[in-house]
Amino acid sequence: MGIETTMKRLGILLSGRGSNFLAIHQAIADGRLPNAEIAVVLSNKVDAPGLARARVFGLPAHHIPVAGRTPFERDLEFIAKLREYEVDFVCLAGYMRIISVTFVEAFPNRILNVHPSLLPNFPGLDAQAQALEFGAKVAGCTVHFVDEAVDHGVIILQRAVSVLDDDTAGSLSARILEQEHQAYPEAIARVLSGDYEIRGRRFVVR
Amino acid sequence: MGIETTMKRLGILLSGRGSNFLAIHQAIADGRLPNAEIAVVLSNKVDAPGLARARVFGLPAHHIPVAGRTPFERDLEFIAKLREYEVDFVCLAGYMRIISVTFVEAFPNRILNVHPSLLPNFPGLDAQAQALEFGAKVAGCTVHFVDEAVDHGVIILQRAVSVLDDDTAGSLSARILEQEHQAYPEAIARVLSGDYEIRGRRFVVR
């Protein structure tokens, strides 16, 4: 099975419904990510709807408990679980914890995240509300590699979204999320192709 | 001449060729800014090509010398000249000096600037090179009111531009500049309509 040998195994981390997990799952089902498969879905929240959904899909899904553990201990458990499932790439999909340097170093340039702003604009929480409050007229989303700093790693792709005069944080978030759902699988495809290089901070297709 | 009474007089400040001045001039010639006229073009540089061009167009054009003057004294001269020409709105078009609080207060929310980034991303000099260096995949331009802080005032409009893998600062700047030339007259039209309000930092059409 020659085709199997190029298959890349994704580990998904989520804390909520994981709508970007669903978008990635759908992209695989549609054949838009022909050399990807979801190896495991992990969550710090036992009741994350995304975890339940993964089980419905027949995917391995595990809760990694955080109570009584340091962030470092927690991340070691995540790393162990991801290795157990022979994960090649880690996709954060609404995972609401900051991951440790140890975690980053365990998967160098192989952890991806999506953030609902055009980074470096509006890092951190409530990026869409930050954009509205600043009076931005163009917002968007960023898929990037995760590095040691929050919302900071090399950018794989960005998509712009117009801010409308009557936008609320909710309506803007919804339009940005639509773009995230397209951008994240596309960014994964670019990374899995292996056909890129990173020059300084620039992700450039060869 | 009822139509004359609604005419708004623009004062343009530039330091170089003033391509955004030319774009505004063209928009007026094309009828895209029906209630605007350029009252005067001012420059801190005696040899600014934009100043020579203004004279070719038959527009009043003056050099405001800076040698031996403090920034405050210089700005008082600009303000005096703009008042002499009964200017309603001031448009910075590649004016490479920071203007003083006194200048801002003389024309509150009536000084416009265009900046070659999606603010608050990449304020200051060489915004396009900053965007490339950061590895941004979406860049753009911002037309904004000028306030006391650099590249910070209320945003009137923004336009996004894709960053290409083979972009240099030059090629990216050129594509952003095309958008500036469209966005600046459009932003002026929105402001001259008077049909907007500013809520916090949000510029909202009524």
Side-chain angles (χ1 to χ4, degrees), chain A residues 118-122 132-138 152 155-160 163-167 199 201-205, chain B residues 118-122 132-138 152 155-160 163-167 199 201-205:
Chain A
L118 294 173
L119 291 171
N121 274 350
F122 316 124
L132 272 186
E133 206 163 295
F134 191 82
K137 298 296 182 188
V138 174
H152 175 266
I155 293 170
I156 302 157
L157 72 80
Q158 295 183 305
R159 288 279 177 271
V163 179
L164 307 180
D165 280 357
D166 58 357
D167 260 330
R199 299 183 197 143
R201 283 189 51 90
R202 290 181 76 177
F203 179 96
V204 176
V205 174
Chain B
L118 295 174
L119 291 172
N121 275 350
F122 317 123
L132 272 186
E133 207 161 297
F134 192 81
K137 297 298 182 185
V138 174
H152 176 265
I155 293 171
I156 302 158
L157 74 80
Q158 295 183 304
R159 289 280 177 269
V163 179
L164 308 180
D165 280 357
D166 58 357
D167 260 330
R199 299 184 197 142
R201 283 189 51 90
R202 291 182 76 177
F203 179 96
V204 177
V205 174

Side-chain angles (χ1 to χ4, degrees), chain B residues 130-154:
Chain B
Q130 287 184 56
L132 272 186
E133 207 161 297
F134 192 81
K137 297 298 182 185
V138 174
C141 66
T142 302
V143 187
H144 63 94
F145 287 117
V146 173
D147 69 7
E148 302 74 22
V150 174
D151 300 328
H152 176 265
V154 166

Side-chain angles (χ1 to χ4, degrees), chain A residues 100-154:
Chain A
S100 64
V101 174
T102 306
F103 199 156
V104 173
E105 286 175 349
F107 294 91
N109 278 352
R110 292 191 289 135
I111 308 175
L112 280 67
N113 185 38
V114 63
H115 182 79
S117 80
L118 294 173
L119 291 171
N121 274 350
F122 316 124
L125 291 177
D126 298 325
Q128 308 94 332
Q130 288 184 57
L132 272 186
E133 206 163 295
F134 191 82
K137 298 296 182 188
V138 174
C141 65
T142 302
V143 187
H144 63 95
F145 287 117
V146 173
D147 68 6
E148 302 74 23
V150 174
D151 300 329
H152 175 266
V154 165

Side-chain angles (χ1 to χ4, degrees), chain B residues 45-127:
Chain B
K45 296 271 188 192
V46 68
D47 57 352
L51 216 47
R53 197 66 178 268
R55 293 190 184 107
V56 170
F57 290 146
L59 294 169
H62 298 280
H63 167 231
I64 307 284
V66 297
R69 288 170 170 79
T70 66
F72 181 68
E73 288 167 343
R74 180 190 68 213
D75 276 6
L76 288 185
E77 290 205 49
F78 273 105
I79 294 167
K81 211 58 155 174
L82 292 165
R83 289 206 167 129
E84 178 186 331
Y85 283 91
E86 299 179 318
V87 160
D88 298 299
F89 290 90
V90 179
C91 299
L92 308 186
Y95 178 66
M96 301 303 284
R97 296 266 170 171
I98 291 171
I99 73 175
S100 64
V101 173
T102 306
F103 199 156
V104 172
E105 287 175 350
F107 294 91
N109 278 351
R110 292 191 290 135
I111 308 175
L112 280 68
N113 186 37
V114 63
H115 181 79
S117 80
L118 295 174
L119 291 172
N121 275 350
F122 317 123
L125 291 177
D126 298 324

